[in-house]
Amino acid sequence: MTEVKSLKEILNKDWDATGQKVNYEKSKIFLSKYIHHRHKKLLKSILKVGDLKAKDKYLGSPLLLSRSRMTDFSYLG
């Protein structure tokens, strides 16, 4: 978990240098199904981010794709 804390420190240092701050309320994380749920919970609490869901979108496009691109992008046409 020290790596996660180090990552958060790096993001905060980058904010100090650039003036751009990470919005943790809007940020989400995708974690493998092979990670134990206790570790997932701990990671999310350290980073203060939510889970990325399969149906989440960014600018109207799906962030996670299924095996069927036709289904993922059916809204286009």
Side-chain angles (χ1 to χ4, degrees), residues 48-59:
K48 294 184 177 35
V49 296
D51 277 327
L52 183 65
K53 305 292 183 207
K55 294 186 179 184
D56 284 346
K57 295 183 178 191
Y58 179 73
L59 299 177

Side-chain angles (χ1 to χ4, degrees), residues 38-64:
R38 273 189 251 140
H39 290 128
K40 287 182 182 183
K41 189 175 179 179
L42 182 60
L43 288 167
K44 291 186 295 183
S45 71
I46 292 170
L47 293 174
K48 294 184 177 35
V49 296
D51 277 327
L52 183 65
K53 305 292 183 207
K55 294 186 179 184
D56 284 346
K57 295 183 178 191
Y58 179 73
L59 299 177
S61 294
L63 291 170
L64 300 175

Side-chain angles (χ1 to χ4, degrees), residues 9-34:
E9 282 180 30
I10 290 168
L11 291 172
N12 289 334
K13 284 180 185 177
D14 186 54
W15 169 62
D16 290 340
T18 64
Q20 293 184 347
K21 187 175 182 181
V22 175
N23 186 342
Y24 291 103
E25 290 179 19
K26 289 184 177 180
S27 298
K28 297 187 178 191
I29 191 168
F30 176 77
L31 298 168
S32 169
K33 64 182 178 182
Y34 299 109

